[in-house]
Amino acid sequence: ATHIEDLDIHQWSYPNGVKVNFKQTDFDKNSINMVASFGSGKAGMPMTLTGLDTLAGAIFSAGGLGKHSSDDLRSILAGRNVGVEFNIGDDTFSLSGSTTPKDLDLQLQLLSAYLTDPGFRPEAERQFKAMLPNIYAQLKHTEQGPISKMSSWFVSEDSRFAFPTEEQANALSSTQVKDWLTPQLTNNSLEISIVGDTSIEAIQTALSKTLGALPARHASNDIPIENRTLTIVQTPVEKTFTYQSEIEKGIAIVLWKTDDATDQDAKKVRRTGLLADILDERMRVELREKLGEAYSPFARASLSQTFKNKGSIMAYSPGKPANTEKVGNIIINLADTLAKEGATQDELQRSLKPKLGLLEKSLRQNSYWLGSVMDRSQAYPAKIEAARTRDADYASITLKEINDLAQQFCIKENSARISISPSK
């Protein structure tokens, strides 16, 4: 066992290969949060089964356990503070939940049951398929449809980022989900992180009877590297998507390709995030105050720690359909000016100030420790180092660093302009 003293995090592993990260906190009285991460997530999804992740997400919890349907579980667990939520990340699956010291044992038993005996019941698949006509009607008549099409278009229709057609969704089965998930639930390396108001002794006692007692697991989660490299649409490019609606709502979206953070590079993520904040502020002034677009435009960066070429900065501005093209061009020009002339020291300080305030606050939040620091920190020790140096790193960010990134990413030639508008 290791104790990381400056962050007060304990790490250990069991002979079966299950790794544990634990931090005792008193931020939320009687509250314990946990996340168990395993497997290869979306990156390892079979390329031929578009939408398998959508079906998996819909039926995993709804399918209950082998021994108990989800209705049974509801009545068995009534009045107890337990629950498990299944999530599919880019390169991992996770089972997460929160509980109290009193129900800790039961929570870990439930989590172990989902790992070893998920139900994959056909009734969950039937419920999902019964909802499909509504889901597809909604995609056809709201901006959600074009937005999901845009996501897969940007990555050259990589099937893992595509929302299935109704026909594809209907053809999927819970058996396919079971075949995809079972080896990863039972075999792939598993790392559980727990934070909250309980002692290391209580955690070790509860884990030794549950996750620590599971059959041995393999250490490796390796996803073949070719599955991690995406092909992004050639820029500069313009694309229009429509949906059927009487509602006068259009959206101007611009995407700029950025670097990745596949080497777990937290510094790059922070600086690109600040660059997006500065663009966000320029958009607000230009579009809301000068143009009077009623809705709030925003810009944000997302750098992928899993895939090569997936990183992007996105600007998003809802408004009148008649203005989408004009607004898109204004955004492209704002970014291009930012690339060529740079931001000012004042803009950098204004973007940094709220960030620095939030950093202070986050140190007293279980969600920060669990998600940003501890989850998979044995697989990626860089996360511990990033937490250690986070505040000092933010404080050290220079205007030159931001402007270098702006010059690299925000130029017109690197942009994809998307218009989303209703067609009558």
Side-chain angles (χ1 to χ4, degrees):
T2 310
H3 181 215
I4 301 167
E5 281 181 36
D6 56 335
L7 302 177
D8 194 23
I9 292 170
H10 293 271
Q11 295 185 324
W12 66 93
S13 55
Y14 288 99
N16 64 358
V18 171
K19 298 181 177 71
V20 187
N21 309 300
F22 169 67
K23 181 177 174 69
Q24 181 171 2
T25 67
D26 56 5
F27 312 142
D28 294 322
K29 273 284 162 241
N30 285 327
S31 171
I32 303 168
N33 301 79
M34 60 183 68
V35 59
S37 294
F38 60 93
S40 58
K42 208 184 254 234
M45 190 171 110
M47 298 287 240
T48 50
L49 297 174
T50 306
L52 190 62
D53 53 336
T54 307
L55 179 62
I59 70 169
F60 187 83
S61 301
L65 296 168
K67 293 187 180 62
H68 306 288
S69 70
S70 55
D71 288 347
D72 294 343
L73 284 173
R74 257 190 294 278
S75 47
I76 295 168
L77 303 173
R80 306 292 294 268
N81 270 306
V82 296
V84 170
E85 192 178 303
F86 173 67
N87 223 309
I88 303 174
D90 273 358
D91 66 345
T92 188
F93 299 102
S94 63
L95 292 169
S96 56
S98 51
T99 186
T100 59
K102 187 166 127 296
D103 285 330
L104 176 64
D105 283 356
L106 183 62
Q107 171 66 22
L108 286 167
Q109 284 163 16
L110 184 63
L111 204 148
S112 300
Y114 272 111
L115 283 164
T116 52
D117 187 31
F120 297 115
R121 291 165 181 266
E123 62 259 33
E125 181 190 328
R126 282 198 295 276
Q127 281 165 358
F128 171 73
K129 289 188 172 169
M131 294 176 344
L132 289 178
N134 278 346
I135 293 172
Y136 285 95
Q138 211 175 347
L139 289 173
K140 200 168 158 181
H141 297 291
T142 64
E143 66 273 25
Q144 276 326 109
I147 287 172
S148 74
K149 285 199 178 85
M150 175 192 83
S151 307
S152 53
W153 165 79
F154 190 61
V155 293
S156 304
E157 308 297 345
D158 184 305
S159 60
R160 292 166 298 178
F161 300 94
F163 196 77
T165 62
E166 192 165 359
E167 196 180 5
Q168 285 171 325
N170 268 309
L172 293 168
S173 73
S174 47
T175 314
Q176 290 167 326
V177 173
K178 185 179 180 176
D179 292 345
W180 179 38
L181 295 184
T182 302
Q184 311 197 55
L185 286 158
T186 53
N187 244 338
N188 271 148
S189 65
L190 182 126
E191 189 168 337
I192 184 167
S193 302
I194 303 174
V195 62
D197 191 7
T198 182
S199 67
I200 188 167
E201 294 75 23
I203 290 292
Q204 289 181 329
T205 305
L207 279 173
S208 63
K209 296 181 292 201
T210 50
L211 294 188
L214 293 175
R217 307 177 70 92
H218 295 310
S220 167
N221 269 3
D222 283 350
I223 307 155
I225 209 81
E226 66 270 16
N227 285 1
R228 287 176 179 258
T229 303
L230 303 179
T231 307
I232 301 300
V233 64
Q234 283 283 312
T235 56
V237 63
E238 294 178 3
K239 180 86 174 160
T240 302
F241 295 96
T242 59
Y243 62 100
Q244 292 174 17
S245 176
E246 296 297 317
I247 298 168
E248 284 291 296
K249 183 184 175 187
I251 307 168
I253 297 176
V254 181
L255 295 166
W256 296 265
K257 298 188 278 194
T258 63
D259 287 344
D260 317 295
T262 40
D263 43 8
Q264 300 292 313
D265 186 348
K267 291 184 168 187
K268 200 186 282 176
V269 172
R270 291 168 190 150
R271 283 154 181 76
T272 312
L274 276 175
L275 171 60
D277 291 345
I278 291 169
L279 177 61
D280 182 287
E281 181 57 19
R282 289 193 177 190
M283 283 165 57
R284 191 186 63 77
V285 170
E286 192 70 29
L287 297 173
R288 284 201 70 178
E289 293 176 11
K290 295 189 186 167
L291 244 193
E293 281 283 305
Y295 303 93
S296 291
F298 68 83
R300 63 155 190 257
S302 70
L303 270 58
S304 178
Q305 302 198 318
T306 305
F307 293 101
K308 291 189 170 169
N309 306 332
K310 188 170 179 255
S312 65
I313 291 174
M314 172 170 82
Y316 185 102
S317 181
K320 300 181 193 76
N323 291 349
T324 46
E325 191 171 333
K326 177 170 136 192
V327 168
N329 286 326
I330 289 172
I331 294 170
I332 285 175
N333 289 328
L334 281 176
D336 200 56
T337 304
L338 182 56
K340 295 197 166 82
E341 295 169 18
T344 64
Q345 191 61 41
D346 180 50
E347 285 180 302
L348 174 58
Q349 289 319 118
R350 280 211 312 266
S351 296
L352 260 176
K353 206 175 165 190
K355 278 268 189 302
L356 299 174
L358 289 172
L359 298 184
E360 181 85 11
K361 225 174 168 170
S362 71
L363 294 174
R364 297 196 57 77
Q365 291 169 341
N366 286 341
S367 58
Y368 163 71
W369 287 103
L370 192 62
S372 299
V373 186
M374 292 160 59
D375 178 30
R376 300 202 293 161
S377 57
Q378 292 189 48
Y380 298 109
K383 290 185 80 167
I384 297 291
E385 198 42 44
R388 254 188 203 126
T389 53
R390 180 192 72 165
D391 297 21
D393 182 46
Y394 265 114
S396 78
I397 291 175
T398 65
L399 186 62
K400 183 181 182 326
E401 289 177 300
I402 298 296
N403 287 339
D404 286 349
L405 289 179
Q407 224 171 356
Q408 195 186 338
F409 303 147
C410 293
I411 52 172
K412 214 171 248 173
E413 294 71 32
N414 187 37
S415 66
R417 182 174 69 74
I418 294 109
S419 299
I420 292 176
S421 58
S423 67
K424 296 285 156 54

